[in-house]
Amino acid sequence: MSLHRLASITLGVPDVVAAGAYYEEFGLSAEADGWYSTVEAGRQLRLVRSPARRLLGLSIGADSPDDLYGIASRLVRLGIDARADERRLVAVEGVTGVEVEVAVMPRLAPSAVPATPFNGPGRGERGATRAPGVVREGLVRPRKLGHVVIGSTDQGTSQRFFTEGIGLKVSDEIAGVAAFMRCSTDHHNVLVQSAPVNFVHHTSWEVDDVDEVGRGAMQMLEGHPERHVWGLGRHTVGSNFFWYLRDPAGNFSEYYSDLDCIVDDALWKPTVWDGGSAKSFQTWGPPMPPSFIEPEDLAALMTGAHQSP
């Protein structure tokens, strides 16, 4: 695949200062011009002022200028305008209004994190030591931005933009609800779900293991129980451990670990999961709250959309 990573996103929020403080506490590092960086991938989140929360843009990494010109040709066949040169391509997804950049950039070479030793029946991998998650201290730091989830009022059209136009591949689908798409070896980097209004549902940030998922969430919840959304659990689609929190603007942010990795397309068999089955969303964990599918501010977002000129 000539596409190789989700490089960054731009979020519009009503209160940039409050949102920025949240994401610093979440484990991102503040940079200039509203940018926040992860451990492995540098600047991956930009916060800008917006009347309502929304995803304004996302950037995807590609290998060469030829990739950009190929994407431009496909977008033209779909009737979508695209600006392209040898460095970057920019096009707007017509339903959600998200500006998508595909830019030539080097591939990441993430450092290998040693496997966490787990004891089990008949095997004592840790030896005479405590579990690492018990003795860890300090702020949990996300290694990279994993994916972003967008609600679209025309899920099919938005999906075609990303697959037939940009070139993402579908890893799995939930029937009538969502498509999990990838621009890297990660199971998904962009997910488009059917929604009554265009909005950003959540961003997802990779940490080392399930202990870091739990530690990160507990740090964020200390003194702020209102931030809790859903977790701890393990998803069925993507297989990852998860815990979702809510930023001051209402966007969900997810700590995750152990996501499925698709290194050979021929060996992966996409599945269409039953959208009416809870088993399609999680293998274990607390019940999914109704506000996860329909966030509490959805009605306000819909009213704002109807009032927009």
Side-chain angles (χ1 to χ4, degrees):
M1 177 183 271
S2 59
L3 304 177
H4 54 80
R5 60 167 152 146
L6 176 61
S8 66
I9 58 170
T10 298
L11 282 180
V13 294
D15 188 337
V16 173
V17 173
Y22 172 92
Y23 285 102
E24 282 193 76
E25 191 176 345
F26 190 80
L28 306 184
S29 298
E31 308 283 351
D33 300 324
W35 282 98
Y36 294 82
S37 65
T38 57
V39 172
E40 295 280 0
R43 302 194 311 174
Q44 293 205 276
L45 170 66
R46 191 182 187 196
L47 298 176
V48 300
R49 173 75 171 81
S50 174
R53 66 184 186 89
R54 57 176 300 202
L55 180 67
L56 296 174
L58 64 87
S59 178
I60 292 169
D63 284 330
S64 74
D66 288 343
D67 301 326
L68 306 185
Y69 294 130
I71 293 169
S73 296
R74 295 196 299 269
L75 289 172
V76 167
R77 290 197 292 271
L78 292 174
I80 299 168
D81 292 331
R83 308 189 306 274
D85 55 30
E86 292 191 351
R87 187 178 65 87
R88 66 194 291 263
L89 171 145
V90 177
V92 175
E93 197 286 296
V95 179
T96 62
V98 176
E99 182 178 87
V100 177
E101 173 196 67
V102 183
V104 175
M105 60 183 70
R107 290 180 176 247
L108 288 177
S111 57
V113 178
T116 304
F118 288 103
N119 289 338
R123 56 182 177 84
E125 296 176 1
R126 284 204 307 273
T129 60
R130 297 186 190 277
V134 174
V135 298
R136 289 175 190 160
E137 297 180 350
L139 183 68
V140 171
R141 296 289 313 282
R143 304 192 72 82
K144 71 176 183 181
L145 169 65
H147 58 266
V148 61
V149 176
I150 311 166
S152 170
T153 56
D154 187 342
Q155 192 266 343
T157 296
S158 296
Q159 180 176 336
R160 284 192 295 275
F161 171 89
F162 283 105
T163 55
E164 298 177 22
I166 302 298
L168 275 66
K169 297 183 178 182
V170 175
S171 301
D172 283 304
E173 296 183 74
I174 296 180
V177 177
F180 296 75
M181 299 173 286
R182 66 185 186 275
C183 59
S184 72
T185 57
D186 289 344
H187 177 273
H188 55 284
N189 303 108
V190 177
L191 188 152
V192 176
Q193 68 178 48
S194 180
V197 65
N198 300 315
F199 76 109
V200 54
H201 185 275
H202 75 265
T203 61
S204 188
W205 306 84
E206 184 181 46
V207 294
D208 290 349
D209 58 22
V210 65
D211 282 305
E212 295 300 88
V213 173
R215 285 204 323 116
M218 295 306 293
Q219 288 173 353
M220 293 296 291
L221 292 173
E222 186 174 354
H224 294 280
E226 75 283 357
R227 290 174 172 173
H228 174 72
V229 177
W230 184 30
L232 172 70
R234 187 187 271 274
H235 281 307
T236 306
V237 183
S239 301
N240 54 293
F241 296 107
F242 67 83
W243 199 320
Y244 294 90
L245 305 156
R246 183 184 290 104
D247 76 12
N251 304 301
F252 300 158
S253 58
E254 175 191 15
Y255 288 117
Y256 81 90
S257 69
D258 194 25
L259 184 74
D260 287 334
C261 187
I262 303 174
V263 295
D264 187 335
D265 292 340
L267 298 178
W268 183 262
K269 305 301 181 186
T271 297
V272 178
W273 300 82
D274 179 7
S277 171
K279 189 68 174 177
S280 297
F281 294 90
Q282 66 183 105
T283 60
W284 59 261
M288 180 174 62
S291 61
F292 184 76
I293 297 298
E294 296 186 0
E296 294 170 356
D297 65 347
L298 206 58
L301 292 173
M302 292 175 67
T303 300
H306 293 316
Q307 291 177 346
S308 297

